[in-house]
Amino acid sequence: MKTTLLDRFQGSLIGLTVGDALGGKFEGQTAAHILSRVPSLDALMQYPAKSLWYTDDTQMMIGVAETLITHQSMEEEALCKAFVQNYVSSRGYGQGARAVLEAMEEGRDYLFTANNIFPGGSYGNGAAMRVAPIGLFFRDHLQELISQARLSALPTHTHPLGIEGAIILAGAVGYVSIIDSIDKNTFLDHLFTVSSSSVFQEKIELTRRISRPEAIIQLGNGIAAQESVITAIACFLQSPDSFEETIGHAIFLGGDTDTIAAMAGAISGAYLGIDAIPKDLIAKLEDSPKGKAYIFDLAHKLFDLYADKSGSLIL
């Protein structure tokens, strides 16, 4: 059965959430320690006995999606308000992110806070982890996608590498949501044109030469955008026809497993659609007020707005 565009919108947002929630169970652990707990992909997929709870990655993605649905663009005031309204510090926010969000909440100068905590601005992967809705919504308009991804990053990430990571991840999600079969080099050519720094472009070129999952670690597994965004893309490229293998590659690297798996899951879901995500993992996603039902609804609303904007029948 043909994968519809609605399937892809749902697949991307739910894929991000599943990758985040499953990866969150191993965040900060070494690859060796993870393998000692879950020695195979099957064991990893069966690991969560009961529920899967997402982290800050998904919570901030929800804020981006809500802002798009309300404004069809990244209105800074609305985006910050969404971040604050959704903010639950126990979701795994880092110390710097908590300080910035608390400045937003208290009406203080959050950009001043961000730039003082991270001299030169944060180059972490926090902007990239939440950007998938922009990749979907602006998939047909690359320059607008780039502009909106940049705007989505700025309230918390002003370092060029943090911004560029968000742009590249949005570009990856948008690109795969359009195609039905993937050619590795053509995809990487697209990302090369979207990128602007030698740091990311060198990682993209290295990805061309990676042929084994074990070699992905060369790209990094840390919280910096340049050590995780291309890593997530490489995890997808190792197994583009398998959602499970894609997030498995991300988690078995160790390190920042929740965010790398979230980004890889967003790309895989946008390419394969919702039916590729294991139903038992979706079933275990939390049923909180902004849990899986809410995220499915966000994806549907985002798709409906996209269809209205495009002015044509969307399959």
Side-chain angles (χ1 to χ4, degrees):
M1 186 171 67
K2 180 178 172 60
T3 301
T4 69
L5 187 53
L6 174 59
D7 293 336
R8 292 174 186 253
F9 273 58
Q10 292 177 333
S12 188
L13 300 197
I14 293 294
L16 184 156
T17 306
V18 168
D20 171 32
L22 185 55
K25 293 184 174 293
F26 305 94
E27 183 183 11
Q29 298 176 21
T30 66
H33 183 66
I34 293 168
L35 280 169
S36 74
R37 296 175 63 189
V38 284
S40 68
L41 181 63
D42 285 344
L44 176 63
M45 293 298 111
Q46 295 166 15
Y47 178 79
K50 294 182 180 178
S51 57
L52 281 170
W53 290 74
Y54 60 71
T55 78
D56 56 323
D57 302 52
T58 300
Q59 193 158 75
M60 297 197 85
M61 176 276 287
I62 289 171
V64 171
E66 290 170 336
T67 304
L68 270 181
I69 289 164
T70 303
H71 297 280
Q72 288 81 65
S73 66
M74 287 292 98
E75 299 290 337
E76 184 172 340
E77 184 177 351
L79 181 62
C80 292
K81 184 177 180 180
F83 286 160
V84 167
Q85 287 178 336
N86 292 330
Y87 173 53
V88 178
S89 61
S90 60
R91 291 282 185 179
Y93 291 83
Q95 183 177 354
R98 291 199 302 271
V100 173
L101 289 167
E102 286 161 9
M104 290 179 185
E105 189 172 27
E106 295 165 11
R108 293 185 281 114
D109 187 342
Y110 53 87
L111 292 177
F112 177 83
T113 301
N115 286 316
N116 274 271
I117 294 172
F118 308 107
S122 173
Y123 53 80
N125 54 25
M129 74 189 187
R130 67 192 188 220
V131 80
I134 292 171
L136 296 169
F137 194 69
F138 297 105
R139 62 200 282 272
D140 300 320
H141 303 283
L142 182 58
Q143 289 309 309
E144 193 168 9
L145 180 151
I146 291 170
S147 174
Q148 293 295 322
R150 180 178 184 277
L151 291 173
S152 77
L154 287 176
T156 55
H157 292 69
T158 55
H159 193 285
L161 293 178
I163 295 168
E164 186 176 358
I167 290 169
I168 291 171
L169 204 286
V173 168
Y175 182 89
V176 301
S177 76
I178 293 172
I179 61 175
D180 291 320
S181 63
I182 192 152
D183 177 82
K184 177 180 178 178
N185 284 318
T186 303
F187 178 42
L188 291 174
D189 287 345
H190 173 73
L191 297 181
F192 195 94
T193 64
V194 169
S195 65
S196 55
S197 72
S198 61
V199 173
F200 276 102
Q201 289 174 348
E202 287 169 5
K203 292 284 179 90
I204 291 168
E205 290 306 306
L206 176 56
T207 303
R208 294 186 197 275
R209 303 192 294 274
I210 290 175
S211 59
R212 298 174 294 107
E214 312 87 78
I216 297 173
I217 192 62
Q218 299 174 66
L219 298 167
N221 65 349
I223 62 173
Q226 65 270 27
E227 295 178 356
S228 54
V229 171
I230 306 302
T231 306
I233 290 164
C235 290
F236 164 71
L237 284 172
Q238 281 296 303
S239 302
D241 295 321
S242 172
F243 178 87
E244 297 100 311
E245 291 181 15
T246 291
I247 61 170
H249 296 323
I251 292 169
F252 284 129
L253 289 171
D256 196 17
T257 51
D258 59 331
T259 299
I260 297 174
M263 294 187 291
I267 299 168
S268 181
Y271 180 60
L272 296 174
I274 189 65
D275 289 340
I277 302 174
K279 290 180 172 54
D280 62 329
L281 291 182
I282 296 175
K284 290 173 183 175
L285 283 176
E286 61 183 88
D287 283 317
S288 60
K290 291 196 174 182
K292 63 186 171 192
Y294 186 78
I295 296 168
F296 267 109
D297 188 55
L298 284 178
H300 209 304
K301 287 177 177 176
L302 198 64
F303 166 77
D304 286 343
L305 279 171
Y306 170 83
D308 288 344
K309 178 169 70 82
S310 70
S312 60
L313 180 64
I314 304 295
L315 299 176

